[in-house]
């Protein structure tokens, strides 16, 4: 397979400040194709990096329109690939202004684990086109540090037993959830709309990325990272879907109690834990703001609350990120 490196022809800074840095556009021109890209240029641990790409080719050039089967986005840390995902076709696209060209529009995102630290980060796009030539595009990112909260959680005897549970049942539950969260089905494209918070409460009791120390009742302790937001709300409060999607898990789990997982985009899932009652079942389709559950304190919980979590490509990401136009819908290249 012949490999061509595409270089920047034009890089335009849009200077649009938002939760994930500056939006940038890049344009690449070759004889047989034009590629337009929108991406966010900052790498902040726990914030996704979405890339929207339009490939335009003259109609007189024979080319496969199935770029989504070969187009791949990678996150590089110090030139080493640390995350990989496939591009997919977004539910909404802008028509080409040039009627002489055929257009394919694609979307993908890397998660950027909250565990990652300072380094040189780059997004790498590869796709095949015309006579199986592989094209490669590199998008440099600027590292932006994030300060994390720290907290100590004191557990009673029953919560200590849950946290330290190494039973076969719990291990099977963990394996089942991980299998779901690491699945990237490029056909499961349900929505790119802005998300809403699943509760009307604004009282956070814990935040995404908190560095936690669990103090056990037996005097021992362990450390971990908090993967979502906790909202202190009374038991029985309404919990609503943050966005349109498909329910892929709705069941009891030892550590998280009654739990719901909704798939929204390939590799992108929302999770709702410690519920007292579930209003949906696995396989249901839900719309944004649909009632899906009532909050509770089931599983490992020191009091009634809702744990809301977002996972992308298996990694926990900041839930509030999706309150913005994260997929660059309706933005001109």
């Amino acid at each position: 397979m012949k490999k061509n490196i595409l270089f920047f022809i034009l890089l335009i800074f849009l200077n649009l400040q938002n939760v994930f840095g500056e939006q940038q556009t890049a344009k690449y021109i070759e004889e047989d194709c034009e590629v337009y890209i929108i991406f966010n240029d900052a790498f902040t641990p726990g914030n996704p990096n979405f890339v929207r790409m339009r490939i335009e080719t003259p109609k007189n050039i024979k080319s496969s329109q199935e770029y989504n089967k070969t187009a791949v986005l990678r996150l590089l840390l110090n030139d080493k690939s640390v995350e990989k995902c496939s591009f997919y076709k977004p539910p909404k696209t802008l028509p080409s202004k040039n009627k002489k060209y055929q257009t394919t529009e694609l979307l993908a995102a890397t998660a950027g684990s909250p565990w990652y630290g300072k380094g040189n980060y780059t997004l790498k796009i590869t796709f095949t086109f015309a006579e199986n030539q592989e094209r490669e595009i590199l998008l440099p990112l600027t590292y932006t540090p994030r300060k994390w909260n720290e907290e100590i959680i004191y557990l009673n005897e029953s919560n200590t037993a849950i946290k330290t549970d190494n039973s076969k049942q719990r291990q099977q539950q963990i394996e089942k959830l991980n299998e779901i969260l690491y699945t990237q089905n490029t056909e499961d494209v349900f929505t790119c709309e802005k998300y809403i918070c699943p509760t009307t409460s604004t009282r956070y009791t814990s935040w995404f990325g908190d560095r936690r120390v669990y103090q056990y009742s037996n005097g021992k302790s362990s450390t971990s990272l908090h993967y979502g937001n906790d909202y202190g709300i009374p038991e029985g409060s309404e919990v609503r879907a943050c966005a349109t999607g498909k329910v892929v898990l709705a069941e009891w789990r030892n550590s998280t109690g009654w739990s719901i997982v909704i798939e929204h985009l390939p590799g992108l899932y929302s999770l709702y834990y410690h519920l007292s009652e579930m209003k949906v079942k696995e396989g249901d389709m839900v719309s944004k703001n649909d009632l899906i559950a009532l909050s509770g304190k089931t599983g490992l919980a020191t009091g009634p609350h809702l744990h809301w979590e977002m996972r992308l490509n298996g990694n926990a990401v900041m839930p509030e990120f999706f309150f913005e136009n994260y997929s660059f819908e309706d933005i001109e290249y």
Side-chain angles (χ1 to χ4, degrees), residues 241 243-247 262 264 280 284-288 290-292:
T244 298
K246 181 180 180 180
V247 178
I262 301 175
H264 304 286
V280 294
D284 285 351
M285 292 297 303
V286 296
S287 298
K288 181 167 69 173
D290 279 355
L291 179 65
I292 60 171

Side-chain angles (χ1 to χ4, degrees), residues 239-257:
V239 177
R240 296 187 173 272
C242 64
T244 298
K246 181 180 180 180
V247 178
V248 292
L249 184 144
E251 64 184 30
W252 173 270
R253 302 182 70 248
N254 290 10
S255 58
T256 59

Side-chain angles (χ1 to χ4, degrees), residues 27 37 47 57 75 78 103 114 155 184 194 239 245 285 326:
K27 180 180 179 181
I37 294 172
N47 278 12
T57 56
L75 177 64
N78 300 328
T103 300
L155 302 182
Q184 301 174 18
K194 293 181 182 180
V239 177
M285 292 297 303
Y326 61 90

Side-chain angles (χ1 to χ4, degrees), residues 19-221:
V19 69
F20 42 73
E22 286 186 344
Q23 293 175 3
Q24 294 189 18
T25 65
K27 180 180 179 181
Y28 303 82
I29 301 177
E30 288 200 348
E31 292 182 358
D32 57 0
C33 72
E34 295 183 5
V35 182
Y36 303 84
I37 294 172
I38 302 177
F39 70 106
N40 43 289
D41 71 337
F43 177 84
T44 304
N47 278 12
N49 283 94
F50 273 79
V51 175
R52 198 174 187 102
M53 178 169 65
R54 178 200 293 271
I55 304 174
E56 296 191 349
T57 56
K59 290 184 177 179
N60 61 349
I61 293 181
K62 292 183 178 180
S63 63
S64 170
Q65 292 296 295
E66 299 300 318
Y67 299 108
N68 57 307
K69 293 184 178 179
T70 63
V72 172
L73 179 66
R74 291 178 174 86
L75 177 64
L76 307 183
L77 171 55
N78 300 328
D79 296 324
K80 180 181 178 182
S81 178
V82 293
E83 191 177 341
K84 173 184 174 182
C85 60
S86 298
F87 278 87
Y88 50 88
K89 295 181 179 180
K92 183 180 180 182
T93 61
L94 293 175
S96 174
K97 295 181 179 180
N98 192 334
K99 295 183 179 180
K100 295 182 179 181
Y101 280 70
Q102 52 191 346
T103 300
T104 296
E105 196 161 346
L106 301 173
L107 185 68
T110 58
S113 170
W115 289 108
Y116 290 161
K118 186 176 182 180
N120 295 317
Y121 292 90
T122 306
L123 293 173
K124 179 180 178 180
I125 301 170
T126 57
F127 66 96
T128 57
F129 171 78
E131 300 179 357
N132 292 324
Q133 293 179 350
E134 183 176 272
R135 312 298 172 98
E136 180 180 293
I137 299 171
L138 298 177
L139 304 172
L141 303 176
T142 301
Y143 172 76
T144 304
R146 167 175 274 151
K147 186 177 181 180
W148 305 101
N149 295 315
E150 297 180 358
E151 62 178 345
I152 300 175
I153 306 294
Y154 294 93
L155 302 182
N156 59 22
E157 187 174 347
S158 61
N159 278 330
T160 295
I162 294 173
K163 181 63 178 173
T164 58
D165 178 13
N166 292 317
S167 66
K168 182 177 180 180
Q169 182 187 50
R170 185 174 181 228
Q171 292 303 315
Q172 289 174 338
Q173 291 172 353
I174 293 172
E175 291 171 3
K176 179 179 179 178
L177 180 62
N178 285 338
E179 184 176 356
I180 291 172
L181 299 180
Y182 281 93
T183 297
Q184 301 174 18
N185 188 339
T186 56
E187 300 299 319
D188 290 350
V189 181
F190 300 116
T191 184
C192 282
E193 63 194 339
K194 293 181 182 180
Y195 287 30
I196 61 170
C197 186
T199 174
T200 57
S201 174
T202 58
R203 188 170 76 87
Y204 289 74
T205 54
S206 290
W207 288 265
F208 163 73
D210 283 356
R211 271 49 181 170
R212 283 182 164 181
V213 175
Y214 285 98
Q215 192 67 50
Y216 301 148
S217 61
N218 58 13
K220 297 181 179 180
S221 65

